[in-house]
Amino acid sequence: GHGTVKTPGVLTNVIPLIEMGQPANNPNASALFWFPVAMVQYYFGDPSNTFHPNVGIGLGYAFFTHVRLHQNFQQNLNSVTSILAFASTLDFTDSSSAEASGGFAPIYSAGITYELDKKLTLNLGVSYAPISAKSTIFVRDKFGNTILTSTANLTIPTVATSVNVGYLF
C-alpha cells in the first residue's frame, strides 16, 4: 500500500498521519481474490490441423473474501485512531477492519491448442482482465460506531497464463 490515512477536518493538524507506504506497515492487508468467468472462444483453422490458434472474450465477476488488515498496520492505525475513540466514548478502545468490493469486468484471451493425438490436447493461453475494485478501512469505537473510514479505488490489471491438458471424448 501507499498513501496516507488521515483524520478529517481540523483534527488533521492534531492527530498524526499514518504513512501506509512505510516498510513496517506493508503489506497493509490481504484477501482472497475470486474471478469466475463466462467466456466464448473461437478456434481458427481447419479441424484436421494439429495446431489451433484461438481467441476469446468473456465477462467475469471479481470479488474478495477473507479480507483482513495485517497486524503491524492495524496496530499503527489503532494507536493513532484511539484518540478519536476517546473523543467519542471517553475510552481509548477502538478496532479496525477492512472490506473490498469488486464488480463485473471483461476478459480477453488468446492461445494455441496442439493435438497430441485424436483424444489428447495441450493448450497454452494468456488472458487479461482490467479489474477495478474499492477497498475500505473502518475504525470503530468500543460501541461499534464508525469513527473513521478510508476508501481507496484499486486498479488490478490481471494477467493470467495457463497450460491445460485436455481429453476429448
Side-chain angles (χ1 to χ4, degrees):
H2 64 277
T4 58
V5 176
K6 58 185 178 179
T7 55
V10 296
L11 293 176
T12 300
N13 300 325
V14 177
I15 298 174
L17 301 174
I18 299 167
E19 294 293 336
M20 295 175 71
Q22 289 180 344
N25 287 332
N26 270 297
N28 303 134
S30 63
L32 289 178
F33 171 65
W34 302 87
F35 190 60
V37 170
M39 183 179 287
V40 176
Q41 288 188 302
Y42 179 78
Y43 288 82
F44 296 95
D46 188 84
S48 63
N49 292 349
T50 304
F51 286 96
H52 301 278
N54 60 75
V55 295
I57 189 167
L59 185 65
Y61 183 75
F63 66 97
F64 302 84
T65 60
H66 299 88
V67 179
R68 67 176 185 84
L69 296 174
H70 281 215
Q71 185 176 0
N72 284 350
F73 177 65
Q74 191 167 21
Q75 286 174 344
N76 287 337
L77 182 65
N78 289 2
S79 69
V80 170
T81 57
S82 63
I83 297 167
L84 292 174
F86 184 78
S88 169
T89 64
L90 299 179
D91 187 329
F92 287 104
T93 305
D94 67 348
S95 63
S96 53
S97 63
E99 65 181 41
S101 62
F104 288 97
I107 184 166
Y108 311 97
S109 72
I112 189 160
T113 299
Y114 174 68
E115 287 187 14
L116 299 168
D117 62 31
K118 292 294 179 196
K119 296 277 186 191
L120 202 57
T121 63
L122 178 67
N123 179 273
L124 304 173
V126 63
S127 299
Y128 170 73
I131 298 169
S132 296
K134 188 175 285 193
S135 173
T136 306
I137 297 171
F138 297 95
V139 178
R140 294 180 174 86
D141 65 20
K142 72 176 185 177
F143 299 118
N145 299 316
T146 301
I147 55 175
L148 179 70
T149 59
S150 179
T151 301
N153 292 320
L154 308 174
T155 301
I156 309 167
T158 305
V159 176
T161 57
S162 63
V163 176
N164 301 306
V165 176
Y167 182 78
L168 303 172
F169 53 92

